[in-house]
């Protein structure tokens, strides 16, 4: 299973963290520091796997972002690479040629998409289309709710009650 | 107007986007160095805002506030545990966005120590039952990440319902969540497991994928429980064309096959088929891994895997290369050929730019090491070590050291070579393995007698090189070199040179502990020199009469028989200072090794030139040298050094006396006192030539417990006794008393001590009184002298020999029988002293008790027991299945015919029950009903229909029941 997912920028800034195994907060910060030291220093032509604390961290760089996933020793590294790519493709489709800024300003959406893709550290949905459909459906739910909530009359009604 | 602040908040609230922009602005504007204070004030200001806003009654405001906080928490590690309640509050909102934000915050920030988590239970239950699938999905996602045992227990019924949901994506999520729930609340297995198993037959690939993922995780922990599901997995393996699913199924089989060998025969063919067919590297690699880990008995499969590995290795993609090397490493213990075939790639990978690949290649190279190629491989590796960066260099050295020393140096035949390799390693510039090399040098010196001359030679080379003293990493090696040179000084070709090396000025760079070893070695060398100066005849006589040195000479003669050239005899000691060495050429002439002989001749001749002059002057010279160097160190602050220097100086005094005595004509006029000095020198030499052997780890355990020593009994009384002491100590203020009492506590009550500290009469009486009352804690005084004699000295050679006789004999035997087979080696492998199994640590022998997993317990119960519950013939079935389980344990090795038939019957019954169960629980599988209609018989053959072998087998089973039963007595229905 996947123990955690990290998105780290080339400058070492964390863009997203998702923990599927329990790590206390202190440990999390330590892990992030250790791994960014380990991964960001690796050259471009090396393999995408790092052995770390008896686990394996599979990472892949897209533009300025490193997508990292930590797995057990006997898990399939290539499969994880595919999952990463899968995630990136879905993000790309959702945001329309995604860039780091999209993820910065829509961090919650990145989470929602990841949640559709992975649950409990397991791949949940291998179809890009299905994920996109679910996210779109949820967004439309949000939009209708927002419209109701944000209409001025509503605010006034709320304020004066 | 109560809503006033809320209106203001919602209108002028900083949005998430504003927050992020603000953070970025502050980070960027302030630059890198001074950025922290300003951005941190902005951060704390934002958090204050959030704290205010989150209390708002307006949902929208609250949502935004929580979202901001979540952002800060996940990326800036800001604590948000205080907002847990707000997250729960929002999760109950009717507005989807608020709910989603609330759940996201909960899933990110909650952990098992969040106390309000139980408040979420109700909301989760409500949402799990919701009609809106997206709400259900949210609740499931949240549950999967924050599940606690309590939540798991309370929500199991809802999950159970959701496992049958008609919405595919809900079902999938429920399945994945079940994994977490199982872990935290094993009882839920009893409820949900059956439904999980049913879903294995689902037509939806996504659902199968999810469920296989769950089983893969479960089987990882305790594979045995899932053996009964092997047929289902097999069907998926054969039928599925989805790579995600196949990878997981392969992982499951990798776990199951080692438990049930017959399973291997079944799955090997489909796995090879996938391997041949697939273009996806991930699946291909998984097939390879399954084969090399679990299917190594199947040669064809291994061969195919090796072929594919070669393809991986020749790819340019570093990922594939790395994985290929890993697979090779996994295959290495079983089929070394595969590794050797790819030797070139592996060796080349040692200089790969990727550290991971280098390390993997190194591991592989070490796996290839055998007696025949160890020298060659080490040569290559040392060359790499010289070229590579410090880290990898030490990794290489470390793996050479550990591989060569494995199992008492079993791969080493030529110890001379290995010892010189150790010496060479010390000179590798980045070497930091001093400690390990030190241990091995000393260890080999002690264990392998025949190699001692070479050890001394290597030690000398290291010691005389003043450059090495400057490198703190190899001080430990120098310490070992000094120790072996001193301990085996009789093999030294030139003691003067050695002495000079040991005392050279740069030794002041050494740490005190190592320096102490140097001085101790100098001490031994000096003793040796003095002995051979004073007692040339004595040495001869000793060798004949066998007094004192008998052990020593005994093995010398032995070794001169077995090893040509390396001899020690005392026939003509007058010829020179070190008669053993002078004799070498004569013996060598008869030896085969001409080259060596010549070099030895040269050395000895140069030596003998020196020795020719050696009489008193040389010894005096040596003594003077030692004295002038060591005298200033007598005042050293280091106790170890001071102690040893004093010893040496004492010896020098003795020798001085003796030398002056020698001025007087030699034999008759010897004064008594002078004789005594000589005597002492001899005794000391004898003491030093006593051999030190390796000590078994279990040596302590073999010391017999002396009679009357009761260590464990009545220890609890000790406190009472200590209490007894405290009272008198408090009441009287004499100075001596505490001291003597202290000694009493540690029960050192022998007479010497009593004399030393001279306790006052008061305390003596206390003591005797105490002895009377608690005599058990005192050692009986008359026994004290005897007891130490009962202990066998740890290094007692004769004792050790007795213990090791058998082992050594066996070792010799096997070596003699093995060596000629491999290749005619000029020199037989020298005997390596091994102690009995005590040298190995015992912990490994006692396997840890297999911990009964709660989950697997429940799973077994469901799989084997409760099938019966579902069927009509309840009691009968459960009886039989439990019966079968016990049989599984007891009758497996026997395979008695009578038993197996009854088992078969029981299994048939079980099969029926399963069929019945399938019918009763197959409600949701309407697509199956048509199949069902075609008949029961079709159904019973179902698992086989996909597989020709299986079909054949099923017919066989129909023909002759006993036949099949005998063939597969235990769990035939698990297989196909």
């Amino acid at each position: 299973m996947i123990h955690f997912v990290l998105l780290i920028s080339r400058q070492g800034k964390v863009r997203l963290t998702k923990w599927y195994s329990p790590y206390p907060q202190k440990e999390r910060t330590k892990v992030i520091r250790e791994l960014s030291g380990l991964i960001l220093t690796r050259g471009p032509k090396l393999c995408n796997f790092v052995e770390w604390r008896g686990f394996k961290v599979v990472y892949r760089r897209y533009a300025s972002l490193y997508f990292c996933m930590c797995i057990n020793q006997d898990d399939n590294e290539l499969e994880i690479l595919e999952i990463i790519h899968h995630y990136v493709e879905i993000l790309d489709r959702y945001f329309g040629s995604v860039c780091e800024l999209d993820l910065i300003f829509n961090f919650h959406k990145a989470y929602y998409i990841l949640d559709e893709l992975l649950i409990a550290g397991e791949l949940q949905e291998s179809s890009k289309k299905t994920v996109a459909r679910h996210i779109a459906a949820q967004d439309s739910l949000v939009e209708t709710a927002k419209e109701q909530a944000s209409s001025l009359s509503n605010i006034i009604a709320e304020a004066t009650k | 107007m109560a809503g006033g602040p809320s209106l203001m908040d919602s209108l002028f609230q900083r949005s998430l986007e504003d927050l992020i922009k603000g953070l970025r602005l502050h980070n960027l504007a302030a630059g890198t160095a001074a950025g922290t204070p300003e951005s941190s004030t902005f951060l704390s200001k934002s958090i204050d805002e959030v704290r205010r806003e989150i209390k708002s009654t307006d949902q929208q405001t609250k949502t935004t506030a929580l979202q901001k906080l979540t952002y800060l928490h996940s990326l800036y590690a800001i604590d948000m545990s205080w907002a847990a309640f707000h997250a729960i509050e929002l999760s109950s909102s009717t507005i989807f966005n608020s709910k989603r934000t609330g759940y996201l915050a909960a899933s990110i920030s909650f952990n098992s120590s969040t106390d309000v988590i139980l408040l979420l239970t109700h909301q989760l239950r409500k949402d799990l039952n919701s009609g809106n699938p997206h709400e259900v999905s949210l609740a499931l996602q949240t549950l999967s990440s924050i599940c606690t045992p309590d939540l798991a227990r309370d929500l199991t019924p809802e999950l159970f319902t959701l496992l049958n949901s008609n919405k595919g994506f809900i079902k999938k999520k429920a399945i994945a969540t079940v994994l977490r729930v199982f872990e935290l609340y094993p009882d839920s297995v009893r409820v949900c497991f059956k439904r999980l198993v049913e879903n294995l037959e689902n037509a939806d690939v996504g659902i199968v994928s999810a469920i296989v993922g769950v089983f893969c995780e479960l089987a990882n922990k305790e594979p045995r429980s899932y053996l009964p599901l092997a047929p289902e997995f097999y069907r998926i393996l054969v039928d599925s064309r989805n790579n995600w699913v196949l990878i997981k199924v392969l992982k499951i089989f990798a776990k199951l096959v080692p438990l049930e060998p017959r399973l291997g025969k079944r799955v090997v063919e489909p796995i090879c088929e996938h391997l041949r067919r697939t273009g996806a590297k991930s699946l291909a690699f998984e097939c390879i891994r399954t084969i090399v880990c679990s299917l190594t008995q199947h040669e064809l499969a291994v061969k195919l895997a090796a072929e594919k590995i070669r393809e991986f290795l020749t790819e340019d993609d570093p990922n594939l290369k790395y994985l290929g090397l890993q697979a090779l490493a996994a295959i290495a213990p079983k089929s070394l050929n595969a590794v050797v075939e790819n030797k070139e790639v592996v060796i080349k990978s040692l200089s790969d730019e990727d550290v991971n690949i280098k390390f993997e290649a190194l591991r592989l190279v070490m796996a290839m090491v055998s007696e025949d190629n160890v020298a060659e491989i080490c040569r290559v590796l040392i060359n790499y070590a010289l070229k590579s960066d410090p880290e990898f260099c030490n990794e290489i050295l470390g793996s050479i050291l550990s591989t060569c020393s494995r199992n008492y140096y079993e791969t080493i035949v030529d110890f001379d070579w290995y010892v010189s390799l150790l010496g060479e390693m010390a000179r590798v510039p980045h070497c930091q393995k001093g400690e390990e090399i030190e241990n091995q040098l000393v260890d080999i010196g002690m264990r392998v007698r025949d190699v001692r001359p070479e050890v001394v030679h290597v030690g000398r080379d290291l010691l005389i090189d003043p450059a090495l003293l400057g490198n703190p990493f190899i001080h430990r090696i120098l310490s070992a070199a000094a120790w072996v040179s001193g301990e085996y000084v009789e093999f030294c070709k030139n003691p003067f040179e050695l002495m000079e090396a040991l005392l050279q000025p740069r030794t002041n760079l050494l740490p005190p502990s190592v320096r102490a070893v140097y001085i101790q070695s100098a001490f031994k060398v000096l003793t040796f020199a003095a002995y051979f100066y004073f007692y040339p005849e004595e040495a001869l006589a000793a060798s004949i009469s066998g007094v004192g040195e008998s052990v020593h000479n005994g093995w010398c003669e032995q070794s001169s028989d077995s090893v040509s050239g390396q001899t020690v005899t005392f026939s003509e000691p007058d010829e020179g200072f070190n008669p053993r060495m002078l004799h070498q050429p004569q013996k060598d002439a008869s030896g085969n090794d001409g080259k060596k002989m010549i070099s030895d001749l040269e050395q000895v001749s140069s030596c003998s030139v020196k020795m020719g002059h050696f009489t008193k002057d040389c010894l005096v010279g040596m003594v003077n040298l030692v004295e002038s160097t060591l005298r200033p160190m007598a005042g050293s602050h280091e106790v170890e050094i001071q102690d040893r220097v004093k010893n040496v100086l004492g010896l020098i005094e003795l020798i001085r006396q003796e030398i002056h005595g020698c001025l007087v004509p030699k034999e008759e006029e010897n004064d008594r006192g002078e004789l005594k000095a000589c005597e002492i020198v001899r005794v000391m030499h004898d003491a030093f030539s006593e051999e030190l052997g390796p000590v078994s780890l279990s040596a302590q355990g073999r010391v017999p417990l002396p009679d009357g020593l009761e260590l464990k009994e009545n220890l609890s009384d000790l406190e009472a006794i200590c209490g007894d002491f405290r009272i008198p100590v408090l009441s009287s203020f004499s100075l001596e008393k505490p001291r003597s009492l202290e000694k009493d506590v540690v029960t050192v009550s022998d007479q010497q001590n009593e004399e030393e500290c001279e306790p006052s009469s008061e305390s003596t009486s206390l003591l005797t009184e105490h002895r009377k009352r608690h005599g058990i804690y005192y050692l009986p005084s008359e026994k004290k002298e005897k007891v130490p004699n009962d202990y066998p000295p740890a290094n007692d050679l004769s004792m050790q020999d007795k213990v090791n006789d058998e082992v050594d004999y066996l070792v010799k035997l096997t070596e003699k029988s093995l060596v000629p087979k491999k290749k005619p080696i000029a020199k037989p492998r020298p005997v390596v002293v091994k102690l009995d199994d005590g040298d190995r640590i015992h912990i490994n022998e006692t396997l840890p008790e297999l911990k009964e997993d709660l989950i697997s317990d429940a799973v077994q119960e469901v799989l084997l027991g409760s099938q019966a519950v579902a069927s009509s013939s309840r009691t009968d079935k459960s009886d039989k299945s439990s019966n079968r389980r016990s049989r599984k344990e007891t009758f497996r090795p026997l395979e008695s015919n009578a038993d197996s038939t009854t088992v078969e019957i029981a299994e048939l019954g079980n099969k029926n029950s399963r069929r019945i169960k399938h019918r009763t629980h197959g409600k949701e599988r309407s697509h199956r009903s048509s199949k069902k209609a075609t008949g029961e018989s079709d159904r019973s053959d179902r698992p086989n229909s996909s597989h020709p072998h299986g079909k054949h087998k099923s017919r066989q089973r129909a023909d002759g029941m006993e036949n099949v039963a005998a063939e597969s007595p235990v769990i035939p229905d698990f297989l196909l």
Side-chain angles (χ1 to χ4, degrees), chain B residues 449-461:
Chain B
R449 278 170 185 156
D450 299 348
V451 81
R452 281 172 193 168
E454 182 63 20
V455 173
V456 171
H457 179 69
V458 168
R460 169 210 169 259
D461 288 353

mmCIF file with all atom_site columns, all heavy atoms in Angstrom, chain B residues 449-461:
data_model
loop_
_atom_site.group_PDB
_atom_site.id
_atom_site.type_symbol
_atom_site.label_atom_id
_atom_site.label_alt_id
_atom_site.label_comp_id
_atom_site.label_asym_id
_atom_site.label_entity_id
_atom_site.label_seq_id
_atom_site.pdbx_PDB_ins_code
_atom_site.Cartn_x
_atom_site.Cartn_y
_atom_site.Cartn_z
_atom_site.occupancy
_atom_site.B_iso_or_equiv
_atom_site.pdbx_formal_charge
_atom_site.auth_seq_id
_atom_site.auth_comp_id
_atom_site.auth_asym_id
_atom_site.auth_atom_id
_atom_site.pdbx_PDB_model_num
ATOM 1   N N   . ARG B 1 449 ? 46.385 -20.708 12.445 1.00 0.00 ? 449 ARG B N   1
ATOM 2   C CA  . ARG B 1 449 ? 47.792 -20.730 12.843 1.00 0.00 ? 449 ARG B CA  1
ATOM 3   C C   . ARG B 1 449 ? 48.726 -20.553 11.661 1.00 0.00 ? 449 ARG B C   1
ATOM 4   O O   . ARG B 1 449 ? 49.709 -19.841 11.740 1.00 0.00 ? 449 ARG B O   1
ATOM 5   C CB  . ARG B 1 449 ? 48.109 -22.078 13.490 1.00 0.00 ? 449 ARG B CB  1
ATOM 6   C CG  . ARG B 1 449 ? 47.701 -22.105 14.928 1.00 0.00 ? 449 ARG B CG  1
ATOM 7   C CD  . ARG B 1 449 ? 47.815 -23.497 15.445 1.00 0.00 ? 449 ARG B CD  1
ATOM 8   N NE  . ARG B 1 449 ? 47.314 -23.556 16.794 1.00 0.00 ? 449 ARG B NE  1
ATOM 9   C CZ  . ARG B 1 449 ? 46.860 -24.657 17.353 1.00 0.00 ? 449 ARG B CZ  1
ATOM 10  N NH1 . ARG B 1 449 ? 46.840 -25.768 16.666 1.00 0.00 ? 449 ARG B NH1 1
ATOM 11  N NH2 . ARG B 1 449 ? 46.435 -24.645 18.583 1.00 0.00 ? 449 ARG B NH2 1
ATOM 12  N N   . ASP B 1 450 ? 48.390 -21.212 10.577 1.00 0.00 ? 450 ASP B N   1
ATOM 13  C CA  . ASP B 1 450 ? 49.332 -21.252 9.460  1.00 0.00 ? 450 ASP B CA  1
ATOM 14  C C   . ASP B 1 450 ? 49.564 -19.903 8.829  1.00 0.00 ? 450 ASP B C   1
ATOM 15  O O   . ASP B 1 450 ? 50.535 -19.711 8.106  1.00 0.00 ? 450 ASP B O   1
ATOM 16  C CB  . ASP B 1 450 ? 48.813 -22.221 8.395  1.00 0.00 ? 450 ASP B CB  1
ATOM 17  C CG  . ASP B 1 450 ? 48.696 -23.620 8.958  1.00 0.00 ? 450 ASP B CG  1
ATOM 18  O OD1 . ASP B 1 450 ? 49.225 -23.823 10.067 1.00 0.00 ? 450 ASP B OD1 1
ATOM 19  O OD2 . ASP B 1 450 ? 48.085 -24.478 8.304  1.00 0.00 ? 450 ASP B OD2 1
ATOM 20  N N   . VAL B 1 451 ? 48.672 -18.979 9.088  1.00 0.00 ? 451 VAL B N   1
ATOM 21  C CA  . VAL B 1 451 ? 48.792 -17.722 8.389  1.00 0.00 ? 451 VAL B CA  1
ATOM 22  C C   . VAL B 1 451 ? 49.548 -16.699 9.227  1.00 0.00 ? 451 VAL B C   1
ATOM 23  O O   . VAL B 1 451 ? 49.817 -15.601 8.789  1.00 0.00 ? 451 VAL B O   1
ATOM 24  C CB  . VAL B 1 451 ? 47.395 -17.214 7.995  1.00 0.00 ? 451 VAL B CB  1
ATOM 25  C CG1 . VAL B 1 451 ? 46.715 -16.517 9.154  1.00 0.00 ? 451 VAL B CG1 1
ATOM 26  C CG2 . VAL B 1 451 ? 47.466 -16.300 6.796  1.00 0.00 ? 451 VAL B CG2 1
ATOM 27  N N   . ARG B 1 452 ? 49.951 -17.102 10.422 1.00 0.00 ? 452 ARG B N   1
ATOM 28  C CA  . ARG B 1 452 ? 50.545 -16.115 11.320 1.00 0.00 ? 452 ARG B CA  1
ATOM 29  C C   . ARG B 1 452 ? 51.781 -15.430 10.752 1.00 0.00 ? 452 ARG B C   1
ATOM 30  O O   . ARG B 1 452 ? 51.933 -14.217 10.912 1.00 0.00 ? 452 ARG B O   1
ATOM 31  C CB  . ARG B 1 452 ? 50.851 -16.758 12.671 1.00 0.00 ? 452 ARG B CB  1
ATOM 32  C CG  . ARG B 1 452 ? 49.574 -16.852 13.483 1.00 0.00 ? 452 ARG B CG  1
ATOM 33  C CD  . ARG B 1 452 ? 49.745 -17.627 14.741 1.00 0.00 ? 452 ARG B CD  1
ATOM 34  N NE  . ARG B 1 452 ? 48.440 -17.922 15.287 1.00 0.00 ? 452 ARG B NE  1
ATOM 35  C CZ  . ARG B 1 452 ? 48.210 -18.778 16.271 1.00 0.00 ? 452 ARG B CZ  1
ATOM 36  N NH1 . ARG B 1 452 ? 49.218 -19.439 16.806 1.00 0.00 ? 452 ARG B NH1 1
ATOM 37  N NH2 . ARG B 1 452 ? 46.996 -18.992 16.700 1.00 0.00 ? 452 ARG B NH2 1
ATOM 38  N N   . PRO B 1 453 ? 52.681 -16.171 10.087 1.00 0.00 ? 453 PRO B N   1
ATOM 39  C CA  . PRO B 1 453 ? 53.836 -15.465 9.516  1.00 0.00 ? 453 PRO B CA  1
ATOM 40  C C   . PRO B 1 453 ? 53.412 -14.330 8.590  1.00 0.00 ? 453 PRO B C   1
ATOM 41  O O   . PRO B 1 453 ? 53.976 -13.237 8.629  1.00 0.00 ? 453 PRO B O   1
ATOM 42  C CB  . PRO B 1 453 ? 54.568 -16.555 8.742  1.00 0.00 ? 453 PRO B CB  1
ATOM 43  C CG  . PRO B 1 453 ? 54.149 -17.821 9.384  1.00 0.00 ? 453 PRO B CG  1
ATOM 44  C CD  . PRO B 1 453 ? 52.759 -17.612 9.869  1.00 0.00 ? 453 PRO B CD  1
ATOM 45  N N   . GLU B 1 454 ? 52.377 -14.597 7.792  1.00 0.00 ? 454 GLU B N   1
ATOM 46  C CA  . GLU B 1 454 ? 51.930 -13.574 6.860  1.00 0.00 ? 454 GLU B CA  1
ATOM 47  C C   . GLU B 1 454 ? 51.264 -12.414 7.614  1.00 0.00 ? 454 GLU B C   1
ATOM 48  O O   . GLU B 1 454 ? 51.429 -11.249 7.264  1.00 0.00 ? 454 GLU B O   1
ATOM 49  C CB  . GLU B 1 454 ? 50.954 -14.192 5.845  1.00 0.00 ? 454 GLU B CB  1
ATOM 50  C CG  . GLU B 1 454 ? 50.444 -13.228 4.790  1.00 0.00 ? 454 GLU B CG  1
ATOM 51  C CD  . GLU B 1 454 ? 51.540 -12.672 3.879  1.00 0.00 ? 454 GLU B CD  1
ATOM 52  O OE1 . GLU B 1 454 ? 52.613 -13.286 3.802  1.00 0.00 ? 454 GLU B OE1 1
ATOM 53  O OE2 . GLU B 1 454 ? 51.307 -11.617 3.269  1.00 0.00 ? 454 GLU B OE2 1
ATOM 54  N N   . VAL B 1 455 ? 50.525 -12.760 8.647  1.00 0.00 ? 455 VAL B N   1
ATOM 55  C CA  . VAL B 1 455 ? 49.903 -11.709 9.448  1.00 0.00 ? 455 VAL B CA  1
ATOM 56  C C   . VAL B 1 455 ? 50.970 -10.792 10.008 1.00 0.00 ? 455 VAL B C   1
ATOM 57  O O   . VAL B 1 455 ? 50.855 -9.565  9.954  1.00 0.00 ? 455 VAL B O   1
ATOM 58  C CB  . VAL B 1 455 ? 49.067 -12.322 10.600 1.00 0.00 ? 455 VAL B CB  1
ATOM 59  C CG1 . VAL B 1 455 ? 48.577 -11.239 11.527 1.00 0.00 ? 455 VAL B CG1 1
ATOM 60  C CG2 . VAL B 1 455 ? 47.901 -13.095 10.053 1.00 0.00 ? 455 VAL B CG2 1
ATOM 61  N N   . VAL B 1 456 ? 52.022 -11.406 10.515 1.00 0.00 ? 456 VAL B N   1
ATOM 62  C CA  . VAL B 1 456 ? 53.099 -10.608 11.091 1.00 0.00 ? 456 VAL B CA  1
ATOM 63  C C   . VAL B 1 456 ? 53.765 -9.765  10.008 1.00 0.00 ? 456 VAL B C   1
ATOM 64  O O   . VAL B 1 456 ? 54.077 -8.591  10.218 1.00 0.00 ? 456 VAL B O   1
ATOM 65  C CB  . VAL B 1 456 ? 54.124 -11.530 11.780 1.00 0.00 ? 456 VAL B CB  1
ATOM 66  C CG1 . VAL B 1 456 ? 55.351 -10.744 12.197 1.00 0.00 ? 456 VAL B CG1 1
ATOM 67  C CG2 . VAL B 1 456 ? 53.489 -12.189 12.977 1.00 0.00 ? 456 VAL B CG2 1
ATOM 68  N N   . HIS B 1 457 ? 53.909 -10.364 8.859  1.00 0.00 ? 457 HIS B N   1
ATOM 69  C CA  . HIS B 1 457 ? 54.543 -9.652  7.752  1.00 0.00 ? 457 HIS B CA  1
ATOM 70  C C   . HIS B 1 457 ? 53.717 -8.428  7.370  1.00 0.00 ? 457 HIS B C   1
ATOM 71  O O   . HIS B 1 457 ? 54.237 -7.321  7.211  1.00 0.00 ? 457 HIS B O   1
ATOM 72  C CB  . HIS B 1 457 ? 54.679 -10.607 6.558  1.00 0.00 ? 457 HIS B CB  1
ATOM 73  C CG  . HIS B 1 457 ? 55.294 -9.985  5.366  1.00 0.00 ? 457 HIS B CG  1
ATOM 74  N ND1 . HIS B 1 457 ? 56.615 -9.612  5.332  1.00 0.00 ? 457 HIS B ND1 1
ATOM 75  C CD2 . HIS B 1 457 ? 54.762 -9.635  4.179  1.00 0.00 ? 457 HIS B CD2 1
ATOM 76  C CE1 . HIS B 1 457 ? 56.864 -9.071  4.162  1.00 0.00 ? 457 HIS B CE1 1
ATOM 77  N NE2 . HIS B 1 457 ? 55.760 -9.069  3.437  1.00 0.00 ? 457 HIS B NE2 1
ATOM 78  N N   . VAL B 1 458 ? 52.395 -8.638  7.235  1.00 0.00 ? 458 VAL B N   1
ATOM 79  C CA  . VAL B 1 458 ? 51.506 -7.526  6.890  1.00 0.00 ? 458 VAL B CA  1
ATOM 80  C C   . VAL B 1 458 ? 51.534 -6.481  7.996  1.00 0.00 ? 458 VAL B C   1
ATOM 81  O O   . VAL B 1 458 ? 51.590 -5.269  7.729  1.00 0.00 ? 458 VAL B O   1
ATOM 82  C CB  . VAL B 1 458 ? 50.070 -8.046  6.663  1.00 0.00 ? 458 VAL B CB  1
ATOM 83  C CG1 . VAL B 1 458 ? 49.085 -6.895  6.601  1.00 0.00 ? 458 VAL B CG1 1
ATOM 84  C CG2 . VAL B 1 458 ? 50.002 -8.860  5.397  1.00 0.00 ? 458 VAL B CG2 1
ATOM 85  N N   . GLY B 1 459 ? 51.532 -6.966  9.215  1.00 0.00 ? 459 GLY B N   1
ATOM 86  C CA  . GLY B 1 459 ? 51.571 -6.040  10.341 1.00 0.00 ? 459 GLY B CA  1
ATOM 87  C C   . GLY B 1 459 ? 52.822 -5.194  10.320 1.00 0.00 ? 459 GLY B C   1
ATOM 88  O O   . GLY B 1 459 ? 52.774 -3.974  10.517 1.00 0.00 ? 459 GLY B O   1
ATOM 89  N N   . ARG B 1 460 ? 53.917 -5.830  10.001 1.00 0.00 ? 460 ARG B N   1
ATOM 90  C CA  . ARG B 1 460 ? 55.181 -5.088  9.938  1.00 0.00 ? 460 ARG B CA  1
ATOM 91  C C   . ARG B 1 460 ? 55.108 -4.003  8.880  1.00 0.00 ? 460 ARG B C   1
ATOM 92  O O   . ARG B 1 460 ? 55.469 -2.855  9.115  1.00 0.00 ? 460 ARG B O   1
ATOM 93  C CB  . ARG B 1 460 ? 56.311 -6.066  9.602  1.00 0.00 ? 460 ARG B CB  1
ATOM 94  C CG  . ARG B 1 460 ? 57.613 -5.401  9.257  1.00 0.00 ? 460 ARG B CG  1
ATOM 95  C CD  . ARG B 1 460 ? 58.389 -6.283  8.262  1.00 0.00 ? 460 ARG B CD  1
ATOM 96  N NE  . ARG B 1 460 ? 59.524 -5.547  7.722  1.00 0.00 ? 460 ARG B NE  1
ATOM 97  C CZ  . ARG B 1 460 ? 59.534 -4.986  6.525  1.00 0.00 ? 460 ARG B CZ  1
ATOM 98  N NH1 . ARG B 1 460 ? 58.466 -5.033  5.749  1.00 0.00 ? 460 ARG B NH1 1
ATOM 99  N NH2 . ARG B 1 460 ? 60.617 -4.373  6.088  1.00 0.00 ? 460 ARG B NH2 1
ATOM 100 N N   . ASP B 1 461 ? 54.603 -4.370  7.693  1.00 0.00 ? 461 ASP B N   1
ATOM 101 C CA  . ASP B 1 461 ? 54.522 -3.387  6.611  1.00 0.00 ? 461 ASP B CA  1
ATOM 102 C C   . ASP B 1 461 ? 53.697 -2.179  7.026  1.00 0.00 ? 461 ASP B C   1
ATOM 103 O O   . ASP B 1 461 ? 53.989 -1.054  6.629  1.00 0.00 ? 461 ASP B O   1
ATOM 104 C CB  . ASP B 1 461 ? 53.904 -4.026  5.367  1.00 0.00 ? 461 ASP B CB  1
ATOM 105 C CG  . ASP B 1 461 ? 54.875 -4.985  4.712  1.00 0.00 ? 461 ASP B CG  1
ATOM 106 O OD1 . ASP B 1 461 ? 56.042 -5.017  5.159  1.00 0.00 ? 461 ASP B OD1 1
ATOM 107 O OD2 . ASP B 1 461 ? 54.468 -5.693  3.769  1.00 0.00 ? 461 ASP B OD2 1
#
